[in-house]
Structure formats: structure tokens, C-alpha cells
């Protein structure tokens, strides 16, 4: 057993085919596992290697297809044991037949008695259960004699109570036979009983042997003479051999499979059409899809009973003429082949009514050719690259009723000749004009085009459903209002200025979607209308008609979010209301508290969203009327309290009221069905709790309440809540009050929506590596939560490790994704997730830029940078609908793309982390982009698919600009997405950037030759501005400066010793260039990054503390002149990236990074992690770390005489006042004056009470 280890990339000579086997778990589509040798578990699928196949070449091709480019890295990955979840190798004697046999049949020698009477005696006989039959040999241990066949379909299998471990098998029919079989053990008895019960319960004689790694048909299967349906899908059926397909000779097939009607041989990699199958005259259904067939032989004409033939996913470009002789053939699948046009032989297939040719290479459709196919009623030409539909004929095409032309390149189309057309799909083309016949039109889907109008004649009186969204319509055609039966109309995301009054007054319209237009007014309703759902979000409505609600009595859903409403109409003309409204969305308007009184008449409301309005209060008496209310969202208003009458809403399960001024916790914990309470970003001071909390409470968000103090009793009471979100309180010691400069901080939000579980996870590390780098990520598992959690916990560590191996952004980010894909293990076989990772780092290679942002993503998660108030997209969406390049790649790989544009019906993404069984169609290789950061960059937004489906980039940027606080901004983004109709999981991360030239104190920048990696000795002083209490610092509380002049050997030799007190040489060569934290200097090399926080100096007191009364800290050793902090340098994988250690032990220690729950911060119960940066404070690390003699850092107590105090004139008076108030004073320059900028000061979050001082100190030696 090789176990995946590969010693070299040289390819060995041909291995003996008898001894070499490949294990392939094919799943639904592609090859997920490949291996050579003896399988250790029956769950694997096996295929014999050909003599021409080379195992090392196979693994090399597999890894390069994944995305690895470097041959050396490919070799390293091939030797990794984790790779066995995707590809593995074995060698040795093939022993999987036993496992196959156990999965396909049961066999053994047992005591058998025939018949129900006692005339027959018990005898030892060999018994076989295979297919649909029970086979009993007439001679013990031999199959040479007569075989007794007992058909079991429709029969019975019962327990015989008079004998232990005995079963009675009976066939169906009036001449039923019975056999008693006595088993030796209970396990055998249960196994046979379970398998036989499945057979007898079948209504048809079906044998399902799919995904069994079969190379030939099992021998005993031929005894099942009553088999009508045989499924051999996803195997490795061979053409040769005793049970090979080529030996399906006429006599054998007639004799043994005389009743076979359906045969499925799809996904067997046959390469050649099995001609012997054409001898089975009874076949009515044959599936040969995804077999790599390049031609069909003429003998296909022998299957005169064939009704269904599936040839999808092959390499066919023509069909034999003999196929036209199959007069009963009514369904022919030719999708995802290489046909350049519609085969002429189809004209002779008179019984066929549907033509399925999606994913071929048909570029021109001539309607005149359809006249010769009068039997064709439905045509599917999706994904063909069609650019022209020729309608030169004047003769009507009467037979065509359904036409699917989605995802092509059509610019205009005239189908007026198709007079009986009922359904048309032409989404995602480039249509500017569309002309149709309306005689029989029932359904029209034409979204995502460039249509300014649609011409239909005559009026389509049969039309019931029409989708014209995402076009350029400025008005609705008159024929739309004249349609008598239209029920659903979607005209959202157009340029409509008004809606015709006749449209809303129609007697058939049930659902109208007209959001994201330019509507300024809604026409008055003249009479009662049957409308049930109305979506008018993202318009310019200032009011609704006064009679709107009591004329639309059937209305159950109304969304008027993102308008300019200042009031809403009354629910009725009298006190008694007949309203049936259940869901009302009023978010992002200008409504005040007076509107709440007008809602009382809607007593059937279940969902009410009034977020981001101007509510000062909500009338208590009105809230008590909503007895059926289940979800209430009042976020982003100016509420000071939630009325106590909310306790009257007995069915309320969700209360969201973040971003208000609420000081008293709402009385909702007594509600019997409450599940989620979000009162974050408020002014809560305390929480009054009942004696017990409801068992239904699953999520409670209390973050952003700076004055909230929770007692231990309260925390214990909250312990059973699945998701409890609390602020990480910053430490009050001196070290924490004066942290290093924060150039960025973040906020994030995750909301389940109407899902039962949260499948979105967030990674947020403000201090990644050294203190001047950061990492942020978001992971969306769609329907699974396992993969996002795994990525959240491992991707940061992987990135930290990959940065050590390469300084090329595209290389280390790509390898981070590929390695994370591998580390998913078994979970990544069947499950997957979209992933986006942002890495903020030093970018000295760009002139004039000192920080860079590298973004990598797969799937549908996206990143947007706000630059000078405008959105800048940084990611690429890898969905089949939005990427023509990816669509072509997946088509070329012969994947089956379903009508909803999903690969094998599983995912719409062409690149994901996980889902390895869909390789090579779905790959983990990411899109990578690096953008230099500048002072005009204000913030970064990360979001999942659900967020950016509802919010455009421009609206997302505008929303964050209006809020400014990152956490509140992220909350608002998610709340808006939900109010706009999102029902899935939604997640958002907002990263505020404070990068500018206003705080630069360094000397002129490095020359272009001094890029990262240039071995130039530089010292790095770190400035300390005020720290936001909501974003605790992750670096040391005292400013520190590192000298990288110490070589790697000096570091290794000085491990465990204290630093020298001697001053360095004062020569010009010895004095390094002075740099600030905004413009960090290049280090010795990429692999020699210094620790972010290591040394401390103090002349305030002998022990380095602020007061003599305070006790010395454990792990902090003072000798009067130095402050030595004992630190375990191996406990901070993200913060330490120093030079390469000298010993293998140090390497192994560095690899033993802690779990991300300690690196990223406290892990929340929902899987999300927010970095409690105060836990990365060097003093706290020193207190918690085990003592090691090699973990001392030392610094001289006195300041370097060359350091000068530079005070700008504008700050001179403030500095003098501070110097008077602090004694003793640490000498050091204060921050320079800040010139006026156009940046909003709210992003900087100054903390009151902290002096804006900048400490600077010199370190002569640093010992690890």
C-alpha cells in the first residue's frame, strides 16, 4: 500500500494490470478518488488500470487540474496523506471482488427445506440471493447441478418462529413456491432478511447495481429471468471478459434477459458503443450518456422496440441513417455533444415530439428546417452559442409549442411564424427586439436582456405568466393590460416611470413585481382587485393611494421598502377592517410613529419590517393588537424602548431592534415561541430576566451595548442559548489603554433568515501576522454548515503558513485555497462552500503605496472596496450564469448542466472549496487580485451571494457611508437584504480603513530597489494613537521597536538570554532609516518577519507598572533597569513570522499552532469568530503562556539619546498640558499635526480620555 506517498515525478514502466487497480469514488459526476492497490473499505469504487496508464502521471494531472502550477509543489502535495480524500494509490493483489460480491449478492451454505409440508427434509445446500431471485443449488457446495430459481418480486419473506434464525421465502402467483433457510448466526439472518425484504417490496423487477465498481455483469444475475429494469450506472463495465458487454450475444440475451425493457449504462467510460446491446430486442429504454462515445453504429437500428434513447454528454457530431428506422422512438437525448446543427435523420423519427440538444454547437437556427419536422413540439437549444434565428419562411410553423433558447448570444428574434407557441424561454441573451405570436402564448420568460419593448400580436389572451425583469423597459406595452388571464407579471429592474391603471384593475392579476424602477406614483384603484402579492421596493414613491388597502382586500404580501413614503394609507374606512395582509415591508422610508396607528387594522400580520425609518416610539396600545405577529424588525430607528405590550404577541419568534437608543431590555423572554432577539448597537445598561428562559430561545445578540454589565448569574442563565453574542471587553491596564496604531477595524453580521441553521461563517483578524497586517474572509455553504465552519477554523492558519513559502500574492493565495480544499477531508467530498479571503499586507513593491489588499475567491462570495466614495469590485463571481468562460470550460468537460444552470443538478458554481466528487467540472482554484491601498480607500465590504443579490454595489457602499460604524453598517446591510426579500442566510463584513498620509512620520520612502525581501537592516518604530474600546488592541500595550540587524544565527544563539544594554554604533551605516507604522520598512526577508510585540521599556517605576501599590504581574520579571516579559513565542501563529528556526524542533513547534478559537478570538456558538484582539496583548499572552527559558524579550530602560521630541506648533500647548498632568513622563515625540482631509472622522473612533501620544523607543538586540 503506497498510501499516497510519491517519491518522485518520474513515471515508472507499465505495471502489471493484474496487480494494479485504481479506486475511484465517482459520486454523481466526476472522479473524486483515484488510487492504486487493495481497497481497505467496501465504500470505494474500483477500476483496473490499463497497461498504458501511469499512476504518477494521473496524480500529476489531477493536481495541475486543481490549480497547482509548480512541479515541486505538486510533488509535495502528492506525498501528503490528506490527499487520500481526493486521490490515492494502492498496489498489490486485487481483493475487492469480495467487497463487490457482498454488495451485489449474498451467498452461503445453509440448511434448506423446500415446501411448507414436512415431506421434504432439511439438507445442506448453497443458497444465493442475487438480483430478483433466490437461487438454491441441487448439490451441496456445487453449482454444476440443477439450479432452483425462486422469483421474489411481489413475494414474501417471513420469520419462522419455530426455528431460530430461520426465514421463509415465497414467490408470487398462484403456483408460488416456498423455501425455508436456516442461518447459522443472527448477523447472517438479519442481513439476508434485510436484503430480501427490499426485493419483495419492489413493484417491478428492478436490479439496481449503480455505483458498485463493476467491471462485468455478475454471473448469478443471469438467473434472474424476470428482470425488466437493469441499472448499471456509474460502474466501469468492460467490453471484454466473461461478463463483459461484448459477450451479450443473441442467444444469451434472449435466454436470460428475455423480459429486459430498461438498461442504464451511463457513466461507465465505455468509449465505444456496445454493439451486443443492440441484440436485446425487448429494450424500450437505453441510457448511454457520459461514456465518451464518438459515434453510433448502424446496428442501433435493430432495437425496433426502443422508445427512449439517451446519448447526452458524449462526443457525437452525427447520427447514423439507420436511427431513422426506429419508428417507436419518442425521446432522444443529444444534449452536451458536438453537433453543429440539427441532424437531418430526425426528420424521419415521426414518433419523437421533443428535441433535446442543449450544450451543443448550433449557432444558427433556421425555422424553415422545422417545417420538415412536423412531429417536433418541444425544442431545447440552451447553451449553444446561438447568434441568429432565421425566419425567412412565410409558412406558419404550427407544431412548435415549447422553445428554450436560454443562455445564447441572440440580439434579435422574430418568432411570429410559430403561431402555436405556448412557452418561450430566452433569458440571459442580448435581445434588443423580440416579436412573438400571441395566438397560443401562455408563458414568456425574457429576463436579463436589453429589451425596450416586446411586440406580441394578436393580444395573448391565454398568457398567464410573464417575466420581463432586468431589461430596459420604460413603459409597458398596451397588450399587457389587454391580456385577460395574466396572473404573474415580473417587470422589476427596468426603467418604468408609471404603471397603467388598467393593469392594477385587472381581474386576473395575482402577483406583480415592479421593484427597482423609477415609479413616482401608484394609480388609484377604481374597484376591488384580486391582487395577492405586490413588490414596489426601490422606487420613488412618496405615497400610496388613500383607498389602496380597502380596495385590495386579498393582498397578503406588500413590499414598499426603499421608497420615500412619509405615511401609509388606512387599512379601512371604518373601525372594522377586512384586511388579510400577512407580510408588510416598510424598511428604508421616512415613516414616523404616527404610521403605527394606521397599521392596527392589519390584525393578520405575521411579518412586519419597519427598519430604518424615523420612529421615535411605537404606541404600546397598538402593538398589543398584533396577536398573530411572528417577526418584528424595528432596527435603525430612534426608539428608546420597546413597549411592554410586546408580551401580548404570543406567536412572536423573532424580534430585531438593533441600532436604536434602547436602554431597557424588551419584555420578550416570557413569550412561549421566542427564538431570536437582536438588540445590538443600543444603550442597554442592564437586563431584568425572569426566573427561567424559554427553551425555544436560540439566539441573543447583545453586542454594541457599551454600558451593559452582565452578572455571573445572568451569564449562567444564558448558558443554554445556542448563539449568544457579547462584546469582548477591553482590558483596563496600561498596556491595553495605549495600543499600537489601528489602521483598520471591522464589524460583521450573520442572519439565518427563514432557514433553521446558519450556513455562513466569518473570519476576521485585525492583527494577522505582525500588527500591521489583517485577514478577513466569508464562507457560504448554501445548504451545509460543516464546510464553512471548517474553513473558518483552518484558512487563517493555512494562509499564515503559505506566506512563508512564497512572496508572490497569486501563488500563496492560490495555494491557500488549494490546501484548505485538501484539509476539508471527507467533509469536502460531497459538500462544498463559496469562499472569499482578503489579506491586507505590506506592499513595498508599488511606488507610493505601502499597503496592498490581496483578494481571492471561489463561488459567489464577493468583495467591494469603497474608493473615493465609489464601489470597486475586487472579486469574480464563479457561477455558470455570470461567467461565459466558466460555462464553456464546464461544457467542454462534458458535464450535464440542468435547466436551472446547475452542474449535475448540484451547484450553480463552477469553482468551490469542497465538492471534490464533481471534479474536474467544479475546481477549487481561486480568482486572485491585488489592489494597492491608498488614502482614498475608506472601507471594504465582504458579502455572500444572498447579500449582493438584493443590494447593488452602489447601494451597499452608500449604506455604509451613511452609517460609518463597521458593526452597525454590517447589521444594516443584512437587515436591508432581508427586507428586500432575502429568505436565505445572509452575511456581511465591513472593514473600515484608516490608511492615509496624514500620520506619516517617516523619512523619504524606500527606493524601488528596496522592495520586500531586500536584506536591509531596518528598525521599525510603532506609533500609538487612541484605541477604540469596541476594537481591543491585539498588540502590545506599550509601543515597541524592533531591530532586524540581529542575524538568524545570532537569534538562535541568544535564545534564552537577555538583550544587551550596550548602545549600537553611532556611525551613519549603523543608523537605520526611521520609518512609521503606516510605512513599515522592508524586513530581512519574507521568511524573517519580526514578532509584532516583544519588548517593553519603562522608567515609571522599578517594576514597570504605573504604581508601586500594584502587584507585579506573573511572568513579568523586573531587575530595576529592564522589563523582561516571559512569552511562549509558539502560541501565536498569526503574530509570529520570524526567521527560519535553526532546529527541527523549532519548526515542529511553530507548526503546532493553537486552534483558531484562541487565535481569532472567542468562538461563538454559531461557529463565527471575532478576534478579541485584547487576548493577543503581549502581557496577557505572557500571563497565560507556559514558562520557557527561550521566551524572554528584553529592552533597555532608558531612551536612546538620539531620539528627539518633535512637537508641531499646533499641538505644543496640548503637549505642555499633558506633560504637567503626567509624572514621570516618557520622553517621545507626539503625533504630528493632522492636515484637513475629506475623510469622515467617525471612521477613526477616537476614545475619550486617552492622550494622543506616540511612544518611540530603540531596541538594540532582540533575542528569541
Amino acid at each position: 500500500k503506497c498510501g499516497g506517498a510519491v517519491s518522485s515525478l518520474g513515471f515508472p514502466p507499465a505495471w502489471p494490470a493484474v496487480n494494479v487497480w485504481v479506486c475511484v469514488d465517482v459520486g454523481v459526476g466526476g472522479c473524486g478518488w483515484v488510487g492504486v492497490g487493495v481497497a481497505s473499505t467496501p465504500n470505494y469504487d474500483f477500476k483496473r488500470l490499463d497497461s498504458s496508464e501511469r499512476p504518477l502521471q494521473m496524480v500529476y494531472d489531477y493536481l495541475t487540474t486543481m490549480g497547482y502550477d509548480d512541479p515541486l509543489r505538486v510533488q509535495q502535495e502528492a506525498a501528503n496523506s490528506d490527499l487520500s480524500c481526493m486521490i490515492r494509490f494502492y498496489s498489490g493483489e486485487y481483493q475487492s471482488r469480495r467487497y463487490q460480491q457482498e454488495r451485489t449478492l449474498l451467498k452461503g451454505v445453509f440448511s434448506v427445506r423446500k415446501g411448507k409440508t414436512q415431506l421434504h427434509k432439511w439438507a445442506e445446500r448453497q443458497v444465493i440471493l442475487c438480483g430478483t431471485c433466490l437461487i438454491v443449488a441441487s448439490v451441496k457446495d456445487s453449482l454444476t447441478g440443477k439450479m432452483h430459481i425462486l422469483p421474489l418480486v411481489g413475494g414474501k419473506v417471513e420469520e419462522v418462529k419455530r426455528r431460530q434464525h430461520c426465514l421463509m421465502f415465497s414467490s408470487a402467483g398462484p403456483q408460488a413456491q416456498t423455501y425455508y433457510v436456516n442461518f447459522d448466526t443472527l448477523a447472517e439472518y438479519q442481513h439476508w432478511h434485510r436484503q430480501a425484504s427490499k426485493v419483495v417490496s419492489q413493484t417491478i423487477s428492478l436490479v439496481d447495481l449503480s455505483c458498485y465498481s463493476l467491471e462485468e455483469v455478475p454471473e448469478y444475475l443471469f438467473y434472474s429471468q424476470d428482470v425488466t429494469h437493469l441499472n448499471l450506472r456509474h460502474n466501469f463495465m468492460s467490453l471484454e471478459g466473461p461478463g463483459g458487454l461484448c459477450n451479450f450475444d443473441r442467444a444469451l440475451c434472449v435466454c436470460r434477459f428475455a423480459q429486459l425493457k430498461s438498461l442504464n449504462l451511463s457513466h461507465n467510460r465505455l468509449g465505444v458503443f456496445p454493439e451486443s446491446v443492440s441484440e436485446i430486442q425487448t429494450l424500450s429504454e437505453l441510457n448511454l450518456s457520459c461514456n465518451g462515445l464518438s459515434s453510433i453504429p448502424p446496428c442501433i437500428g435493430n432495437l425496433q422496440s426502443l422508445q427512449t434513447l439517451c446519448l447526452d454528454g458524449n462526443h457525437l457530431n452525427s447520427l447514423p441513417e439507420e436511427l431513422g428506422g426506429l419508428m417507436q422512438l419518442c425521446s432522444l437525448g443529444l444534449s452536451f455533444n458536438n453537433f453543429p446543427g440539427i441532424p437531418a435523420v430526425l426528420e424521419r423519427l415521426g414518433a419523437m415530439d421533443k428535441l433535446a440538444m442543449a450544450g451543443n454547437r448550433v449557432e444558427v437556427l433556421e425555422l424553415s428546417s422545422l417545417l420538415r419536422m412536423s412531429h417536433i413540439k418541444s425544442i431545447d437549444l440552451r447553451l449553444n452559442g446561438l447568434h441568429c434565428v432565421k425566419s425567412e419562411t412565410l409558412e406558419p410553423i404550427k407544431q412548435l409549442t415549447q422553445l428554450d433558447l436560454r443562455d445564447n448570444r441572440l440580439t434579435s428574434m422574430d418568432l411570429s411564424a410559430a403561431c402555436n407557441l405556448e412557452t418561450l424561454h430566452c433569458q440571459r441573451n442580448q435581445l434588443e427586439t423580440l416579436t412573438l405570436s400571441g395566438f397560443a402564448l401562455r408563458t414568456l420568460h425574457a429576463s436579463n436582456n436589453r429589451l425596450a419593448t416586446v411586440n406580441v400580436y394578436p393580444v395573448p389572451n391565454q398568457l398567464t405568466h410573464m417575466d420581463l425583469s432586468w431589461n430596459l423597459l420604460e413603459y409597458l406595452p398596451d397588450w399587457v393590460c389587454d391580456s385577460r388571464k395574466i396572473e404573474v407579471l415580473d417587470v422589476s429592474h427596468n426603467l418604468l416611470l408609471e404603471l397603467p391603471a388598467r393593469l392594477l384593475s385587472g381581474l386576473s392579476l395575482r402577483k406583480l413585481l415592479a421593484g427597482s424602477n423609477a415609479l413616482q406614483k401608484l394609480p388609484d384603484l377604481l374597484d376591488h382587485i384580486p391582487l395577492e402579492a405586490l413588490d414596489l421596493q426601490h422606487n420613488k414613491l412618496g405615497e400610496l393611494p388613500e383607498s389602496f388597502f380597502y380596495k385590495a382586500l386579498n393582498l397578503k404580501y406588500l413590499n414598499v421598502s426603499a421608497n420615500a413614503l412619509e405615511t401609509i394609507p388606512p387599512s379601512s374606512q371604518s373601525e372594522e377592517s377586512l384586511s388579510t395582509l400577512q407580510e408588510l415591508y416598510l424598511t428604508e422610508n421616512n415613516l414616523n410613529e404616527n404610521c403605527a396607528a394606521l397599521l392596527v387594522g392589519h390584525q393578520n400580520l405575521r411579518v412586519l419590517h419597519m427598519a430604518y425609518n424615523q420612529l421615535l416610539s411605537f404606541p404600546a396600545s397598538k402593538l398589543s393588537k398584533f396577536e398573530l405577529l411572528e417577526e418584528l424588525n424595528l432596527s435603525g430607528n430612534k426608539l428608546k424602548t420597546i413597549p411592554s405590550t410586546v408580551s401580548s404577541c404570543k406567536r412572536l419568534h423573532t424580534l430585531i431592534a438593533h441600532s436604536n437608543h434602547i436602554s431597557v431590555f424588551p419584555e420578550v423572554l416570557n413569550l412561549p415561541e421566542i427564538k431570536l432577539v437582536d438588540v445590538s448597537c443600543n444603550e442597554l445598561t442592564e437586563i431584568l430576566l425572569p426566573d427561567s428562559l424559554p427553551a425555544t430561545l436560540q439566539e441573543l445578540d447583545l453586542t454594541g451595548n457599551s454600558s451593559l454589565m452582565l452578572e455571573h448569574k445572568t451569564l449562567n442563565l444564558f448558558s443554554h442559548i445556542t448563539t449568544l453574542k457579547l462584546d469582548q471587553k477591553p482590558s483596563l491596564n496600561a498596556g491595553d489603554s495605549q495600543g499600537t496604531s489601528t489602521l483598520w477595524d471591522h464589524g460583521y453580521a450573520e442572519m439565518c433568515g427563514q432557514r433553521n441553521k446558519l450556513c455562513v461563517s466569518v473570519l476576521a483578524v485585525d492583527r494577522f501576522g505582525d500588527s500591521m497586517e489583517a485577514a478577513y474572509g466569508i464562507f457560504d455553504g448554501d445548504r451545509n454548515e460543516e464546510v464553512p465552519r471548517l474553513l473558518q477554523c483552518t484558512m487563517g492558519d493555512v494562509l499564515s503558513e503559505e506566506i512563508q513559502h512564497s512572496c508572490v500574492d497569486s501563488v500563496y493565495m492560490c495555494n491557500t485555497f488549494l490546501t484548505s480544499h485538501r484539509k476539508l477531508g471527507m467533509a469536502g467530498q460531497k459538500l462544498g462552500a463559496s469562499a472569499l479571503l482578503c489579506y491586507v499586507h505590506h506592499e513595498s513593491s508599488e511606488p507610493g503605496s505601502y499597503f496592498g489588499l490581496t483578494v481571492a475567491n471561489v463561488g459567489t462570495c464577493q468583495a467591494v472596496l469603497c474608493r473615493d466614495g465609489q464601489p470597486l469590485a475586487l472579486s469574480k463571481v464563479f457561477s455558470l450564469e455570470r461567467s461565459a468562460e466558466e460555462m464553456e470550460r464546464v461544457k467542454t468537460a462534458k458535464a450535464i448542466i440542468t435547466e436551472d444552470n446547475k452542474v449535475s443538478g448540484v451547484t450553480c458554481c463552477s469553482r468551490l472549496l469542497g465538492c471534490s466528487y464533481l471534479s474536474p467540472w467544479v475546481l477549487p482554484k481561486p480568482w486572485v487580485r491585488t489592489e494597492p491601498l491608498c488614502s482614498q480607500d475608506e472601507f471594504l465590504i465582504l458579502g455572500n451571494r444572498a447579500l449582493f443579490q438584493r443590494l447593488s454595489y452602489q447601494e451597499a457602499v452608500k449604506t455604509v457611508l451613511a452609517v460609518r460604524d463597521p458593526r452597525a453598517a454590517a447589521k444594516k446591510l443584512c437587515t436591508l437584504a432581508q427586507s428586500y426579500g432575502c429568505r436565505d442566510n445572509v452575511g456581511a463584513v465591513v472593514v473600515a480603513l484608516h490608511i492615509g498620509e496624514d500620520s506619516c512620520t517617516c523619512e523619504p520612502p524606500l527606493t524601488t530597489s528596496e522592495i520586500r525581501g531586500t536584506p536591509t537592516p531596518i528598525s521599525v518604530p510603532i506609533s500609538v494613537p487612541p484605541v477604540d474600546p469596541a476594537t481591543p488592541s491585539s498588540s502590545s500595550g506599550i509601543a515597541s521597536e524592533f531591530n532586524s540587524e540581529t542575524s538568524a544565527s545570532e537569534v538562535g544563539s541568544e535564545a534564552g538570554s537577555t538583550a544587551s544594554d550596550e548602545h549600537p554604533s553611532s556611525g551613519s551605516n549603523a543608523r537605520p532609516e526611521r520609518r512609521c507604522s503606516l510605512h513599515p520598512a522592508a524586513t530581512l526577508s519574507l521568511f524573517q518577519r519580526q514578532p509584532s510585540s516583544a519588548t517593553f521599556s519603562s522608567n515609571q517605576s522599578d517594576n514597570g507598572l504605573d504604581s508601586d501599590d500594584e502587584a507585579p504581574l506573573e511572568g513579568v520579571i523586573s531587575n530595576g533597569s529592564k522589563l523582561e516579559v516571559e512569552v511562549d513565542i509558539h502560541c501565536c501563529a498569526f503574530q509570529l513570522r520570524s526567521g527560519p528556526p535553526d532546529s527541527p524542533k523549532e519548526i515542529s513547534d511553530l507548526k503546532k499552532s493553537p486552534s483558531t478559537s484562541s487565535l481569532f478570538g472567542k468562538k461563538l456558538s454559531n461557529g463565527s469568530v471575532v478576534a478579541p484582539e485584547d487576548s493577543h496583548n503581549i502581557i496577557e499572552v505572557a500571563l497565560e503562556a507556559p514558562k520557557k527559558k527561550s521566551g524572554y524579550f528584553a529592552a533597555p530602560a532608558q531612551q536612546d539619546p538620539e531620539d528627539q521630541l518633535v512637537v508641531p506648533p499646533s499641538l505644543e500647548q496640548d503637549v505642555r498640558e499633558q506633560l504637567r498632568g503626567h509624572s514621570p513622563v516618557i520622553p517621545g515625540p507626539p503625533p504630528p499635526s493632522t492636515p484637513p482631509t475629506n475623510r469622515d472622522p467617525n471612521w477613526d473612533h477616537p476614545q475619550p480620555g486617552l492622550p494622543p501620544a506616540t511612544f518611540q523607543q530603540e531596541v538594540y538586540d532582540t533575542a528569541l
Side-chain angles (χ1 to χ4, degrees), residues 150-162:
L150 184 68
L152 293 179
V153 175
K156 295 187 299 182
V157 55
E158 298 177 350
E159 177 185 0
V160 179
K161 297 183 178 180
R162 297 189 304 271

Side-chain angles (χ1 to χ4, degrees), residues 1028-1148:
D1028 181 9
T1031 309
S1033 172
S1034 67
S1035 56
S1036 68
I1038 306 297
S1040 56
E1041 181 179 10
F1042 306 103
N1043 191 324
S1044 59
E1045 294 178 2
T1046 306
S1047 65
S1049 60
E1050 291 173 337
V1051 170
S1053 62
E1054 294 177 6
S1057 64
T1058 59
S1060 171
D1061 291 336
E1062 298 178 2
H1063 293 277
S1065 172
S1066 60
S1068 59
N1069 294 334
R1071 182 63 179 176
E1073 178 187 13
R1074 189 186 303 273
R1075 309 295 293 170
C1076 71
S1077 62
L1078 181 62
H1079 302 151
T1083 56
L1084 282 173
S1085 71
L1086 178 66
F1087 309 101
Q1088 293 179 336
R1089 300 193 180 188
Q1090 298 297 328
S1092 60
S1093 304
T1095 60
F1096 302 88
S1097 175
S1098 174
N1099 58 5
Q1100 296 180 357
S1101 61
D1102 290 343
N1103 60 4
L1105 302 177
D1106 292 338
S1107 170
D1108 293 335
D1109 297 332
E1110 294 178 318
L1113 296 174
E1114 180 184 355
V1116 180
I1117 307 171
S1118 172
N1119 59 5
S1121 60
K1122 297 181 183 179
L1123 180 65
E1124 298 178 350
V1125 183
E1126 185 175 356
V1127 182
D1128 180 9
I1129 64 172
H1130 302 303
C1131 68
C1132 299
F1134 290 134
Q1135 296 192 16
L1136 284 180
R1137 286 207 295 271
S1138 59
D1142 290 344
S1143 65
K1145 181 178 183 303
E1146 293 178 341
I1147 297 177
S1148 61

Side-chain angles (χ1 to χ4, degrees), residues 744-746 762-777 792 795-797 799 837-840 989 991 1031 1034 1133-1135 1156 1158-1161 1169-1173 1176:
W744 40 74
D745 60 326
H746 75 275
V762 166
L763 167 66
V765 185
D766 286 332
R767 302 301 196 279
F768 183 86
D770 58 32
S771 61
M772 306 313 298
E773 294 183 348
Y776 305 97
Q792 178 193 52
M795 211 161 192
D797 278 328
L799 175 60
L837 185 63
C838 298
Y839 173 43
V840 185
V989 181
V991 182
T1031 309
S1034 67
F1134 290 134
Q1135 296 192 16
T1156 50
S1158 62
L1159 290 173
F1160 297 154
V1169 179
V1170 180
E1173 288 88 334
H1176 287 180

